[in-house]
Amino acid sequence: MTEKFDIEVYDKWRDVYVDAVLIKEPPADEMANAKAHWDNWLSYAGGFYQHYAIKPHAAVPHGHWPWGDYALHAAKSGGAAETYTVVCDDMTQAMMVLTVAGWDCRLPTQKGFAGVYLDLIGTAPWNTRSAVPVPRYTGVGSALMARAVMVSKEMGMKGRLGLHALPGASTWYTQIGMVSLGPDPDPQK
């Protein structure tokens, strides 16, 4: 069931906080459409990237993820997975997929306890620091992370949250308080 939460994000281009909506369980086709829009933006920006000898998808490491497929999987999961988007200015600015059942923590002090697993989280290319000199909206990823922690708390998991970070994102996760456990010996688990 779709739920909406009013939030604010920072528009760096206009130097002002603006209203946005965090949406739980958006229709799968909306996530697929957002992915297509992101891909179109990357294609359009390709000339800029070629000028600087950067491959567009290298600048957006999560650019190849099949968001629509994950959204369909979540919709059919019987509640074991949830999807979220952040929408601002009538465009999807960030997306996230969570597994909310069947994941056990790896942190030694939390071993054996259930937690929420963050399958995917990504921001639109125009909000991704590695893709543009000045991202448009900041705080969209943080809003999704805060929601993931809230989901864990609401489910009685005390905010426990795990993920496998892309290499370039590890620093951000430690900056927001997550603990790096290094490479996972069994990443498929």
Side-chain angles (χ1 to χ4, degrees):
M1 177 179 177
T2 299
E3 292 180 56
K4 296 182 179 184
F5 308 89
D6 293 328
I7 63 170
E8 285 188 334
V9 296
Y10 187 68
D11 184 337
K12 287 187 87 161
W13 296 0
R14 292 185 283 176
D15 194 27
V16 65
Y17 281 92
V18 295
D19 293 332
V21 179
L22 192 152
I23 303 170
K24 175 185 177 184
E25 304 301 340
D29 63 335
E30 285 185 23
M31 292 183 84
N33 290 341
K35 165 72 165 104
H37 182 72
W38 293 6
D39 286 345
N40 288 340
W41 188 91
L42 283 169
S43 294
Y44 178 77
F48 167 82
Y49 289 111
Q50 286 176 350
H51 178 74
Y52 292 100
I54 301 170
K55 293 181 179 175
H57 284 288
V60 183
H62 57 272
H64 67 283
W65 291 344
W67 289 99
D69 294 345
Y70 276 92
L72 286 172
H73 169 73
K76 296 175 183 177
S77 73
E82 296 179 356
T83 56
Y84 293 85
T85 58
V86 173
V87 175
C88 182
D89 286 339
D90 296 320
M91 290 192 309
T92 300
Q93 305 297 333
M95 298 188 274
M96 174 175 73
V97 180
L98 299 176
T99 295
V100 296
W103 183 78
D104 292 327
C105 296
R106 285 184 52 219
L107 190 65
T109 59
Q110 302 295 313
K111 204 155 187 81
F113 290 100
V116 167
Y117 182 77
L118 197 157
D119 294 285
L120 302 174
I121 186 169
T123 60
W126 52 87
N127 298 327
T128 304
R129 285 184 176 87
S130 61
V132 293
V134 178
R136 173 75 190 263
Y137 296 105
T138 60
V140 293
S142 297
L144 289 172
M145 288 297 293
R147 184 65 199 150
V149 171
M150 183 60 65
V151 167
S152 175
K153 289 179 178 180
E154 289 171 352
M155 297 186 81
M157 297 178 198
K158 300 185 178 181
R160 289 186 290 270
L161 177 68
L163 57 89
H164 290 89
L166 291 170
S170 297
T171 302
W172 184 77
Y173 290 116
T174 55
Q175 287 173 345
I176 64 168
M178 296 191 82
V179 177
S180 175
L181 299 176
D184 189 341
D186 187 7
Q188 300 305 315
K189 203 169 187 186

